[in-house]
């Protein structure tokens, strides 16, 4: 609908990769630019489907917090909360944005993706898959994970998801005793 209303001519689609949908859309957008198929892409994430059916499905997982207090990476974490929101960004190749005099808010250096593969369930991801996506992003960007000073994480607040994510982050960034700098972990989404 956005491509239609704005009279855009590039690829337009919806992607569903559960909690990774926005990153999947971002990956596709970056490839459009990289391949030269588009000079400007609009991408992002939208979640406006949290109706009674969605709550019923999530309540059976059990991923929802019974206390209603999402606590990512806490030993008191008891689940996640559902919310609705939307965020969109316009992306260009850096040289094109500089040439056009665009205001540049950030430079995306690399995107990495992977699938966890077969696991116990989609609600119990595997750290190997998450670590692979992180490493692919750093390889594409040409940076070492040891240079990172802040990780903005998924942080669902679930007793299963957060420890798996912490293991993937630890495996990728190294233990605190081996690092020269601190690397705090946050989760704006959950907070």
């Amino acid at each position: 609908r956005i491509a239609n209303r704005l009279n855009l001519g590039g690829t337009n689609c919806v992607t569903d990769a559960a909690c990774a949908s926005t990153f999947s859309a971002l990956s596709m957008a970056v490839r459009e630019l990289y391949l030269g198929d588009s000079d400007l892409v609009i991408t992002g994430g939208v979640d406006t489907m949290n109706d009674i059916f969605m709550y019923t499905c999530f309540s059976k997982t059990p991923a929802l917090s019974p206390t209603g207090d999402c606590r990512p990476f806490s030993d008191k974490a008891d689940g996640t909360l559902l919310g609705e929101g939307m965020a969109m960004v316009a992306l260009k190749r850096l040289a094109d944005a500089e040439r056009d005099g665009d205001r540049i808010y950030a430079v995306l250096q690399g995107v990495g993706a992977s699938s966890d593969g077969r696991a116990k369930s989609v609600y119990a991801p595997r750290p190997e898959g998450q670590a692979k996506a992180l490493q692919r992003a750093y390889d594409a960007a040409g940076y070492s994970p040891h240079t990172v000073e802040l990780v903005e994480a998924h942080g669902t607040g679930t007793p299963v998801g957060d420890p798996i994510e912490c293991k993937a982050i630890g495996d990728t960034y190294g233990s605190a005793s081996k690092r020269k700098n601190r690397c705090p972990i946050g989760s704006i989404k959950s907070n």
Side-chain angles (χ1 to χ4, degrees), residues 2-190:
I2 292 170
N4 176 275
R5 292 294 88 200
L6 297 180
N7 198 28
L8 303 176
T11 300
N12 65 87
C13 63
V14 174
T15 181
D16 183 355
C19 293
S21 295
T22 300
F23 287 113
S24 178
L26 179 67
S27 180
M28 291 189 318
V30 167
R31 290 184 199 291
E32 283 278 316
L33 293 170
Y34 179 77
L35 294 172
D37 292 340
S38 296
D39 294 324
L40 167 73
V41 293
I42 300 172
T43 190
V46 177
D47 186 357
T48 58
M49 296 180 45
N50 290 325
D51 57 10
I52 190 65
F53 178 73
M54 188 64 70
Y55 277 94
T56 302
C57 290
F58 266 89
S59 69
K60 294 178 182 290
T61 60
L64 292 180
S65 168
T67 63
D69 185 10
C70 189
R71 298 175 185 167
F73 306 114
S74 168
D75 59 356
K76 295 179 177 59
D78 66 356
T80 194
L81 299 173
L82 300 180
E84 296 183 343
M86 175 181 151
M88 304 297 278
V89 294
L91 303 175
K92 279 184 163 180
R93 289 178 290 275
L94 181 59
D96 294 349
E98 290 173 335
R99 177 199 67 214
D100 297 341
D102 295 333
R103 181 180 288 177
I104 299 169
Y105 293 95
V107 176
L108 183 61
Q109 296 285 339
V111 175
S114 77
S115 170
D116 289 348
R118 188 175 179 93
K120 293 177 188 174
S121 76
V122 295
Y123 305 108
R126 294 175 47 227
E128 299 85 4
Q130 293 181 6
K132 185 185 293 184
L134 289 167
Q135 191 59 55
R136 286 177 175 169
Y138 288 111
D139 290 346
Y143 287 101
S144 165
H146 298 289
T147 64
V148 174
E149 296 176 349
L150 170 67
V151 174
E152 181 60 25
H154 187 213
T156 60
T158 61
V160 173
D162 285 358
I164 289 171
E165 186 173 14
C166 282
K167 175 154 180 27
I169 290 169
D171 290 349
T172 302
Y173 298 97
S175 66
S177 62
K178 294 180 183 177
R179 291 181 60 89
K180 293 180 181 173
N181 61 335
R182 293 185 54 177
C183 186
I185 300 173
S187 177
I188 291 294
K189 180 190 88 154
S190 296

